Amino acid sequence: MNDHVVPIHHLQGVGKQIAKHLARLHIYSIQDLLFHLPIRYQDRTNIQMIHSLIRDQEAVIEGEIQVVSQPRRGKTKLLCELQDKTGTIHLRFFHVLSFQAKILRRGVRLRCYGDVRLGSAGLEMIHPEFQVITLDKPLALLQHLTPIYSATDGLSQYTLRKLAASALAWMEREHILEERVPSSIIHSHSFPTLKQALQFIHRPPREALADLMANKTLAHKRLVFEELLSHRLSLLRIKRVFKAQPSVSLAEGGTLIQHYLHHLPFTLTAAQQRVHHEIKYDLSQTHPMLRLIQGDVGSGKTVIAALAMLQAVENGYQAVLMAPTELLAEQHYQVFKRWFEPLKIQLAFLSSHVKSVVRKTMLTSIANCTAQIILGTHALFQEHVQFAKLALIIIDEQHRFGVHQRALLREKGMHASYHPHQLIMTATPIPRTLAMSFYADLDCSLIDELPPGRLPIVTSVLANHRRDEVITRIREACCAGRQVYWVCPLIEESDVLHCQAAVKTAEQLQKELPTCQVGLIHGRTSSQDKESVMQAFQQGQINILVATTVIEVGVDVANASVMIIENAERLGLAQLHQLRGRVGRGTIASHCVLLYQHPLSDLAKERLAIMRNTNDGFQIAQKDLELRGPGEVLGTKQTGELSFKIADLVRDYELIAPVQQAADILLRDDAYDADVLIERWLGNKQAYRV
Ligand code: ADP
Ligand code: MG
């Protein structure tokens, strides 16, 4: 029995040159070659009569060459007429090699395979594959469908077919790719074994053609199942290793939390309470928490973060909260100051914009533990920040946080003798099942409820030329004491031009609405100005805030109830949902207007319609997944993470749940088999290694 990956050059017929070509297809081992599945099939199992040929279909025919004519110019062109007992067809060659020209003579019998086309003189085949038939050596007919693989320059279908066939033979002879999925699972799904599945897919019987084209065969499902299973096992193993590390146990039940809750102007929703409960328990353990909070925009994640941080502080430890933007970090700082200063808790703030004098004091306070709660941007982890007693790391709004980054963070946060607990919060809800497979190395908590009294945001989609109506609406809203966001998303490549566009919009709006106070915030606004503008908006001194997408995540101003988004057709669903989530945070009915530039593509129409029809982040995520695929939705396309050889998380969605069950069984009963599966499917993916 052989569980090791066998380098491709062990296969007969694979020399340096072919190995190089195969590498371009990411085939390095015999196993890789076997998992390089056909993209489609041809049916060459029966010979068709020439009179029954249909144009634009592939066919096998047999006949005798009647006439051979070399068209006038160019010696490489050749046309011949092939005849069987029912009719004739032309075979047209544009580049015929000299040895082929010698074969293609009058009276020779051929078996040809090719596409039937309608030419100037009736049906023809252009450059058919052909074999000569001699009476003493009759050709056997193929019993199987002919696979077509994705190929590359220098590697013909013929070579690939031959290689695949010898890889299959190797598999049977050398016992590679032995069955590792428990037989109970194979039986309950009526799956074939792995080997049967591979044999079937590379050399399928003729009847299977339709199912094969739809990737609907059990053999295919069987492979997808195993691949998904291996990915999940890998993530679970990472989690298990991490969870075995030591960390400090933070006891529950201190008075700080009671005081804090007592002074909050609201009570926690049931969902918030449940999630807080889960976190409280995790933090009291001697192994690190690794938890993801998923909660739609406005579901109240910040309070949960505060509660977790208080538990660290009560126990004499530090906690840090990292936000993806300066603006959000700054807002958190203001909110936490308001919450925590009455409790006599020391806070520190750090971002790349903090001036060096202040920074020095901050760094000292972090290093000598006078700062108990530390807030900031990724500067917190990029610079030489020394934490005295860090017990908890929280990351807010990290909706594009891949396995790889998660691993990095764990390393960075690692203290001499213990690992800090980790909490990751995201508002980009991805479909639950997908989340469970993408975040299998984390425990997930879901805040599936909004605070009471929230009214759904009413969204309208309007063409740019109806801007006047929008201005009228804004005027009314401002008169009624409401506040408005006006977002100008990136349409210019350059940051400078982009900011200029926002400046222009702000000037124009101020002209159109002279009685309103218009504020402006963009990527180039200094942090000081950002702070004062946000404060003025927060306090209601600014009625209309013109902004670039800097306000996309986290910003929380309850009185703002109108959101205008220009060029909405250029933004992704997740981003639109985030932006829209800036309103509808209080108890006032909110409106969102998506302005677009005519004409809209079909896809853009569909996306804007989704935004109009629902406010539910999970539904939007599901649609997004269907429209763009999981790579885009999870932001993993560039990094290559979660790239499957065969599986497709959208198409194979219904397999995810059974895969989860199978992974649990396997990890419980057969760790060795699990290791083999991980190596088999993810062997060269470092990101998944512990
Ligand atoms: P998000 O989950 O998007 O980060 P926030 O934490 O910013 O949401 O909360 C949105 C708003 O809802 C904030 O103003 C917050 O104070 C308020 N909020 C949070 N929890 C509750 C609750 N249980 N009842 C009422 N308001 C709440
Ligand atoms: Mg938030």
Side-chain angles (χ1 to χ4, degrees):
M1 197 175 314
N2 196 338
D3 292 320
H4 297 293
V5 170
V6 190
I8 191 71
H9 65 260
H10 286 233
L11 199 64
Q12 209 193 351
V14 180
K16 270 214 177 83
Q17 202 55 34
I18 288 193
K20 228 165 78 191
H21 292 318
L22 286 170
R24 260 189 273 141
L25 298 170
H26 305 289
I27 297 171
Y28 307 97
S29 64
I30 297 186
Q31 283 88 343
D32 287 341
L33 183 60
L34 288 164
F35 290 139
H36 186 67
L37 304 187
I39 44 175
R40 61 188 188 92
Y41 299 89
Q42 290 170 343
D43 185 356
R44 305 188 184 185
T45 56
N46 73 339
I47 296 168
Q48 286 192 34
M49 293 294 125
I50 289 178
H51 84 128
S52 69
L53 291 177
I54 299 171
R55 59 185 279 203
D56 299 327
Q57 283 191 359
E58 292 161 337
V60 186
I61 50 174
E62 259 184 32
E64 193 178 304
I65 297 181
Q66 295 301 315
V67 188
V68 183
S69 65
Q70 292 211 353
R72 280 155 292 157
R73 269 178 300 139
K75 282 198 177 105
T76 59
K77 283 187 181 174
L78 187 138
L79 186 72
C80 44
E81 209 177 280
L82 192 78
Q83 185 179 54
D84 70 4
K85 56 180 190 281
T86 68
T88 59
I89 185 170
H90 284 114
L91 309 180
R92 190 182 290 280
F93 297 87
F94 295 108
H95 306 283
V96 67
L97 302 172
S98 59
F99 84 89
Q100 291 174 319
K102 275 186 201 138
I103 296 172
L104 298 169
R105 291 273 162 80
R106 188 187 145 89
V108 171
R109 283 188 68 76
L110 292 181
R111 180 181 294 174
C112 298
Y113 179 82
D115 237 350
V116 178
R117 298 280 165 85
L118 188 61
S120 49
L123 291 183
E124 59 184 40
M125 273 188 184
I126 296 170
H127 276 271
E129 292 178 37
F130 63 86
Q131 291 167 291
V132 176
I133 306 168
T134 48
L135 283 178
D136 53 325
K137 216 172 67 190
L139 290 174
L141 254 183
L142 288 177
Q143 297 302 309
H144 301 279
L145 295 173
T146 306
I148 305 290
Y149 298 94
S150 72
T152 175
D153 277 351
L155 209 54
S156 67
Q157 288 298 331
Y158 179 74
T159 312
L160 275 169
R161 280 203 297 270
K162 251 184 33 189
L163 291 176
S166 45
L168 286 171
W170 177 291
M171 172 179 84
E172 298 297 350
R173 195 173 63 237
E174 306 287 335
H175 304 289
I176 58 171
L177 297 177
E178 291 291 294
E179 191 53 74
R180 295 290 167 187
V181 176
S183 52
S184 59
I185 293 168
I186 303 248
H187 282 149
S188 65
H189 290 272
S190 319
F191 280 151
T193 66
L194 178 62
K195 289 185 180 186
Q196 287 166 345
L198 286 169
Q199 291 282 7
F200 180 90
I201 287 180
H202 288 285
R203 310 172 71 228
R206 190 171 166 220
E207 316 77 72
L209 191 60
D211 283 349
L212 280 165
M213 290 309 205
N215 283 325
K216 264 197 195 144
T217 60
L218 271 177
H220 195 269
K221 257 197 175 157
R222 163 72 181 79
L223 293 181
V224 169
F225 188 92
E226 184 169 316
E227 180 169 37
L228 290 174
L229 178 63
S230 309
H231 274 251
R232 183 165 182 85
L233 287 169
S234 157
L235 284 174
L236 290 177
R237 197 175 63 175
I238 291 174
K239 176 175 172 182
R240 186 182 277 196
V241 169
F242 185 74
K243 284 249 166 190
Q245 309 293 317
S247 69
V248 279
S249 150
L250 303 169
E252 314 174 27
T255 51
L256 276 180
I257 290 186
Q258 279 171 18
H259 277 125
Y260 171 73
L261 285 174
H262 187 73
H263 286 103
L264 269 185
F266 47 77
T267 48
L268 298 185
T269 62
Q272 282 171 320
Q273 280 178 28
R274 174 170 39 77
V275 172
H276 177 222
H277 222 77
E278 290 164 352
I279 293 171
K280 229 167 37 180
Y281 174 79
D282 280 3
L283 291 176
S284 71
Q285 301 300 297
T286 52
H287 297 290
M289 167 172 80
L290 255 189
R291 192 167 280 282
L292 173 82
I293 301 184
Q294 275 193 285
D296 210 344
V297 275
S299 60
K301 294 182 289 293
T302 320
V303 177
I304 302 296
L307 286 165
M309 291 176 108
L310 285 175
Q311 195 166 334
V313 173
E314 308 240 46
N315 284 272
Y317 285 88
Q318 293 172 305
V320 52
L321 171 63
M322 184 181 95
T325 65
E326 172 102 17
L327 201 65
L328 181 53
E330 178 63 39
Q331 178 190 282
H332 279 326
Y333 185 53
Q334 299 305 333
V335 170
F336 279 59
K337 255 200 328 215
R338 208 171 62 229
W339 281 340
F340 288 168
E341 276 182 354
L343 301 174
K344 305 268 179 304
I345 294 172
Q346 297 294 318
L347 287 89
F349 178 79
L350 201 69
S351 81
S352 52
H353 292 283
V354 173
K355 299 249 164 50
S356 61
V357 191
V358 184
R359 170 190 306 259
K360 230 171 166 180
T361 350
M362 293 288 180
L363 285 175
T364 316
S365 69
I366 296 171
N368 67 18
C369 209
T370 37
Q372 297 158 289
I373 297 275
I374 301 119
L375 305 154
T377 59
H378 49 270
L380 283 169
F381 291 103
Q382 279 179 346
E383 296 177 23
H384 295 287
V385 186
Q386 288 284 332
F387 296 96
K389 286 181 83 178
L390 182 63
L392 170 65
I393 298 175
I394 302 182
I395 300 186
D396 192 16
E397 299 294 357
Q398 257 316 351
H399 44 277
R400 293 206 163 177
F401 207 55
V403 182
H404 192 59
Q405 286 129 303
R406 303 208 282 273
L408 268 183
L409 180 74
R410 269 162 228 166
E411 275 163 37
K412 283 219 169 123
M414 195 172 133
H415 198 271
S417 54
Y418 61 83
H419 281 76
H421 299 282
Q422 284 178 26
L423 187 62
I424 294 168
M425 309 202 291
T426 172
T428 302
I430 52 178
R432 182 123 180 92
T433 328
L434 185 56
M436 282 174 72
S437 65
F438 186 59
Y439 295 119
D441 58 332
L442 305 173
D443 296 309
C444 292
S445 291
L446 190 66
I447 308 185
D448 50 4
E449 176 185 10
L450 292 179
R454 296 272 172 86
L455 295 168
I457 305 166
V458 178
T459 300
S460 25
V461 178
L462 291 183
N464 264 343
H465 61 79
R466 294 175 65 186
R467 193 170 176 282
D468 286 351
E469 295 169 40
V470 178
I471 300 291
T472 310
R473 273 208 223 174
I474 292 183
R475 190 176 295 120
E476 286 164 10
C478 288
C479 284
R482 309 277 174 258
Q483 287 172 284
V484 179
Y485 291 99
W486 185 294
V487 181
C488 319
L490 194 65
I491 40 166
E492 298 290 350
E493 289 298 315
S494 116
D495 188 31
V496 183
L497 289 177
H498 179 209
C499 296
Q500 278 173 4
V503 174
K504 261 205 200 127
T505 307
E507 282 169 0
Q508 195 182 351
L509 282 172
Q510 187 65 81
K511 252 190 247 153
E512 288 166 319
L513 299 160
T515 55
C516 299
Q517 191 63 40
V518 178
L520 172 67
I521 196 162
H522 54 64
R524 303 203 144 215
T525 313
S526 74
S527 359
Q528 219 172 359
D529 288 352
K530 258 185 212 161
E531 202 181 314
S532 57
V533 170
M534 281 317 292
Q535 219 154 32
F537 191 57
Q538 185 76 256
Q539 288 162 3
Q541 291 150 8
I542 289 176
N543 308 103
I544 304 168
L545 182 62
V546 175
T548 56
T549 46
V550 290
I551 59 143
E552 179 180 342
V553 286
V555 173
D556 182 43
V557 178
N559 191 51
S561 63
V562 180
M563 165 65 66
I564 316 291
I565 305 175
E566 281 190 277
N567 297 304
E569 78 278 10
R570 307 209 182 193
L571 295 177
L573 283 178
Q575 207 175 7
L576 285 172
H577 181 61
Q578 281 283 345
L579 279 169
R580 180 172 61 181
R582 297 311 110 220
V583 296
R585 308 195 132 232
T587 44
I588 322 160
S590 294
H591 293 269
C592 173
V593 180
L594 303 175
L595 285 173
Y596 66 85
Q597 184 67 45
H598 213 65
L600 278 183
S601 70
D602 285 348
L603 185 65
K605 258 185 217 155
E606 196 171 342
R607 286 196 292 143
L608 294 180
I610 292 166
M611 290 304 295
R612 191 177 43 215
N613 293 339
T614 180
N615 278 304
D616 180 334
F618 281 94
Q619 259 188 49
I620 292 174
Q622 180 68 43
K623 295 281 184 200
D624 206 15
L625 182 71
E626 286 159 19
L627 291 178
R628 294 195 303 159
E632 299 265 2
V633 172
L634 296 169
T636 54
K637 206 161 186 172
Q638 284 81 16
T639 61
E641 262 179 43
L642 211 73
S643 59
F644 296 103
K645 288 185 170 78
I646 301 169
D648 172 333
L649 285 176
V650 178
R651 182 195 63 207
D652 303 318
Y653 207 64
E654 84 278 358
L655 282 180
I656 295 178
V659 158
Q660 284 167 5
Q661 287 168 4
D664 292 341
I665 296 176
L666 212 69
L667 276 186
R668 194 186 61 216
D669 298 345
D670 221 326
Y672 178 71
D673 280 348
D675 285 348
V676 173
L677 283 171
I678 294 170
E679 181 67 24
R680 180 180 291 171
W681 289 89
L682 292 151
N684 51 7
K685 288 216 173 168
Q686 290 301 319
Y688 287 83
R689 296 250 169 111
V690 197

